[in-house]
Amino acid sequence: MDANFWHDRWETGRTAFHEGKPNKFLVKYIKALNLPKGARIFLPLCGKTHDIAWLLAQGYHVIGAELSAIAVDQLFETLGVEPSRQQVNDLTHLSADHIDIYVGDIFCLTAGQIGHIDAIYDRAALVALPDEMRQNYGNHLVGITKAATQLLLTFQYDQTKLDGPPFSVPEEMVRALYSSHYTLTRLAHETLNGGMKGQPATEEVWHLTPPP
Ligand SMILES: C[S@@+](CC[C@H](N)C(=O)[O-])C[C@H]1O[C@@H](n2cnc3c(N)ncnc32)[C@H](O)[C@@H]1O
């Protein structure tokens, strides 16, 4: 999945991954993260998700990373906010009250740029990446956030029956990627209504907590 794949998706409006409302698992399980108001939550590969408006309404500060300028312009338009823009190396930093979005490749983002992160919310980010990118992604995410606690949503289905994205990320893959940095707790394991493009599928919600 290279950058052109995603740019093409946004340019042609093929964004079925974009949910019309805040994600039900985020709304249900955010309390597991035990975050104070004002906590800084990082959304990797954030698209223009409504989860951002919901998190802002809960009193959190949102930091996001997204490849597509189209997605981010639409995000700020929906929020009704005119951000300030600053070019920082290969990334464009769009910011407004309680929100900072970095437009460009997440692998160019540094810990110094995003500052302190209290928690990561990964919805449709890890599962958007093919197998060969996931280890780098996991390491990079842990590195730039200093292993901030995570709420991670995944899908599982028979990968031999279907191409991603979204890709199937079974439990053993979550453990292989993250168990050296975090304690892993599975908060939910539910059948995906309607399956994944006709294949039976499940969704899982993981809470990743760093060692004390
Ligand atoms: C499946 S979408 C999920 C978007 C969002 N998390 C949501 O729940 O709607 C994956 C997003 O990752 C973005 N993306 C893919 N590769 C990226 C990269 N290397 N750096 C930053 N964003 C990337 C794509 O443009 C796309 O918007």
Side-chain angles (χ1 to χ4, degrees):
M1 241 88 281
D2 61 6
N4 288 337
F5 171 89
W6 293 107
H7 286 307
D8 185 53
R9 284 292 186 99
W10 283 104
E11 279 159 17
T12 55
R14 285 175 299 130
T15 54
F17 52 78
H18 177 68
E19 297 187 295
K21 57 181 184 180
N23 182 274
K24 64 175 182 177
F25 293 122
L26 172 66
V27 173
K28 185 168 179 183
Y29 292 112
I30 185 80
K31 55 182 177 293
L33 302 182
N34 201 19
L35 297 168
K37 295 275 181 240
R40 293 168 58 84
I41 306 186
F42 181 55
L43 277 66
L45 283 59
C46 63
K48 59 170 183 177
T49 176
H50 292 296
D51 297 339
I52 291 177
W54 187 85
L55 287 165
L56 291 170
Q58 309 310 303
Y60 299 118
H61 187 121
V62 170
I63 299 97
E66 167 55 48
L67 201 52
S68 168
I70 295 174
V72 177
D73 285 345
Q74 290 178 7
L75 168 71
F76 279 101
E77 203 178 303
T78 307
L79 293 173
V81 170
E82 188 56 52
S84 62
R85 293 164 196 262
Q86 198 188 357
Q87 194 64 31
V88 188
N89 301 324
D90 292 329
L91 298 159
T92 311
H93 177 190
L94 281 76
S95 63
D97 275 354
H98 309 297
I99 180 165
D100 292 273
I101 305 290
Y102 294 85
V103 182
D105 185 353
I106 191 172
F107 292 99
C108 296
L109 194 60
T110 65
Q113 280 166 335
I114 57 173
H116 175 77
I117 298 295
D118 293 298
I120 301 163
Y121 167 56
D122 178 331
R123 188 258 161 190
L126 178 63
V127 299
L129 300 173
D131 197 21
E132 62 273 16
M133 289 180 76
R134 277 181 223 139
Q135 188 70 58
N136 278 348
Y137 166 81
N139 289 342
H140 184 61
L141 197 55
V142 167
I144 60 175
T145 65
K146 306 194 168 54
T149 191
Q150 272 200 55
L151 190 67
L152 166 65
L153 277 47
T154 59
F155 294 113
Q156 300 77 40
Y157 61 87
D158 184 349
Q159 194 72 84
T160 64
K161 299 269 172 55
L162 205 63
D163 278 341
F167 295 97
S168 179
V169 177
E171 174 178 352
E172 52 275 22
M173 201 178 287
V174 176
R175 291 195 183 283
L177 287 174
Y178 288 126
S179 60
S180 57
H181 304 286
Y182 296 109
T183 301
L184 279 61
T185 309
R186 186 166 45 199
L187 301 175
H189 175 91
E190 291 186 11
T191 301
L192 178 65
N193 280 339
M196 175 76 67
K197 300 173 193 170
Q199 291 299 319
T202 53
E203 296 178 278
E204 287 186 343
V205 180
W206 291 92
H207 181 200
L208 280 49
T209 43

